Amino acid sequence: MGGRRAVARATMRFAAMALALLTCVEARAEDDYPNITGVWVGEYAVAFPDGHPVFRGESRTSETELRITKQKGNLFWVQKRWRPVGVEDWTVESATGTFYPFDPERISIAELGPAPEDANTGFMEGVLREGKIHLVYRGIGPAGGISFAVTLTKR
């Protein structure tokens, strides 16, 4: 009988500690995240690796638009357009993003693959500060080996 009581007491202590820990972690409400819907634009320098199918071994200035079409709390949906400056046609890709729940300034965006032949599928990590989105891109698609940093302003 004593063994059961000891187990019951230990279980109750564990449950009380778990409840105490859970009350310390606040869940963020959907409206706790900044609304970033709209069009964000910026230019950046990018170096292409020797194996890139189109811009082999070149560096270029490119421009991008992130159209954040929908947001639900920390989640958002993105249409990304980009092109090298001076090129008429845009490459258009879809992506989704999230704010980090423990730091509502930090964001992460993942592109939908597969990418077009001359593009990458990649990830963007960054922050929203003082009305600007600062991102670092890492491409992992068939034309991989591309990374760049860009600061976007809302149009």
Side-chain angles (χ1 to χ4, degrees), residues 19-29 32-33 100-104:
L19 183 59
L21 284 173
L22 287 174
T23 58
C24 291
V25 178
E26 287 184 43
R28 292 191 179 276
D32 285 348
Y33 296 94
Y100 283 62
F102 55 84
D103 183 353

Side-chain angles (χ1 to χ4, degrees), residues 76 98-100 103-109 123-129 132-138 150:
F76 51 93
T98 185
F99 283 95
Y100 283 62
D103 183 353
E105 285 188 336
R106 288 187 60 193
I107 59 177
S108 180
I109 300 171
F123 298 96
M124 293 171 263
E125 297 287 329
V127 294
L128 172 67
R129 288 211 178 110
K132 295 182 178 185
I133 296 176
H134 307 276
L135 295 172
V136 172
Y137 176 87
R138 290 180 296 276
V150 62

Side-chain angles (χ1 to χ4, degrees), residues 3-139:
R4 286 186 182 165
R5 283 189 196 154
V7 169
R9 279 194 303 266
T11 302
M12 290 302 287
R13 278 194 298 259
F14 176 78
M17 287 188 333
L19 183 59
L21 284 173
L22 287 174
T23 58
C24 291
V25 178
E26 287 184 43
R28 292 191 179 276
E30 282 192 15
D31 58 359
D32 285 348
Y33 296 94
N35 181 345
I36 60 170
T37 56
V39 179
W40 297 80
V41 297
E43 285 191 3
Y44 55 93
V46 60
F48 296 91
D50 289 337
H52 191 276
V54 177
F55 305 113
R56 191 164 308 213
E58 298 179 33
S59 66
R60 294 203 167 210
T61 300
S62 293
E63 59 185 325
T64 193
E65 287 185 0
L66 294 186
R67 292 178 184 272
I68 301 175
T69 58
K70 179 170 70 168
Q71 182 175 343
K72 184 176 181 185
N74 64 309
L75 304 174
F76 51 93
W77 288 257
V78 181
Q79 180 191 62
K80 178 186 163 209
R81 295 183 348 143
W82 68 271
R83 65 182 176 188
V85 171
V87 173
E88 187 174 327
D89 295 330
W90 290 89
T91 298
V92 180
E93 300 171 282
S94 295
T96 58
T98 185
F99 283 95
Y100 283 62
F102 55 84
D103 183 353
E105 285 188 336
R106 288 187 60 193
I107 59 177
S108 180
I109 300 171
E111 295 175 326
L112 174 68
E117 179 182 317
D118 63 342
N120 286 305
T121 299
F123 298 96
M124 293 171 263
E125 297 287 329
V127 294
L128 172 67
R129 288 211 178 110
E130 299 175 2
K132 295 182 178 185
I133 296 176
H134 307 276
L135 295 172
V136 172
Y137 176 87
R138 290 180 296 276

